[in-house]
Amino acid sequence: MTQAPPTTTYFKHLAEGRFLIQRSPSTGEWVFYPRMIAPRTGATDLEWVEPSGLGTVYATTVKRMKPPAENVSIVIVELDEGPRLMTHVQSMPAEDVRIGMRVRAKVVDGPDGKIVAFEADGAQ
């Protein structure tokens, strides 16, 4: 039996409303973007696990939209587990998103299916 490509598995989980990333039990390395082999250690025992969903805005910019559309934040979030991912922060004006801001992941509808977005973490 052939194993599905990691990206297929990742998007399947998202379609089910679940945000899962890979982790190697033997090394403890967390991996994102989905892959067959961990980039730092070469581990091949990657499993799908649910991260805490918490992270910190590592970098941010604003995509300016033509009114009446709202501007969109484009951010790189560093998950508490270590990996970074490009996404956006919802539920607040894009101009208010700041580097160092604590955020929480949520699975939302995107233009082509479910995606991971973030919102400000109220437990700051």
Side-chain angles (χ1 to χ4, degrees), residues 7-57:
T7 52
T8 300
T9 304
Y10 173 72
F11 287 111
K12 178 179 145 294
H13 291 306
L14 281 182
E16 296 167 352
R18 300 176 357 178
F19 173 41
L20 300 178
I21 62 175
Q22 294 170 297
R23 183 177 178 277
S24 165
S26 64
T27 67
E29 181 179 4
W30 291 82
V31 177
F32 187 85
Y33 198 75
R35 349 178 151 238
M36 299 294 288
I37 299 171
R40 289 189 180 96
T41 62
T44 58
D45 61 342
L46 300 177
E47 297 178 339
W48 291 98
V49 293
E50 185 175 4
S52 67
L54 297 172
T56 304
V57 174

Side-chain angles (χ1 to χ4, degrees), residues 57 59-66 69-76 86-89 92-99 101:
V57 174
T60 183
T61 192
V62 176
K63 178 181 178 186
R64 308 261 178 221
M65 304 300 287
K66 183 176 180 180
E70 293 184 16
N71 292 336
V72 177
S73 68
I74 299 173
V75 298
I76 295 176
M86 185 180 290
T87 183
H88 61 277
V89 175
M92 65 186 306
E95 295 81 8
D96 292 347
V97 177
R98 300 284 178 249
I99 292 171
M101 175 184 283

Side-chain angles (χ1 to χ4, degrees), residues 100-119:
M101 175 184 283
R102 294 290 292 162
V103 291
R104 178 179 300 276
K106 62 182 184 174
V107 178
V108 299
D109 290 323
D112 299 318
K114 300 284 188 182
I115 62 170
V116 175
F118 285 78
E119 59 189 0

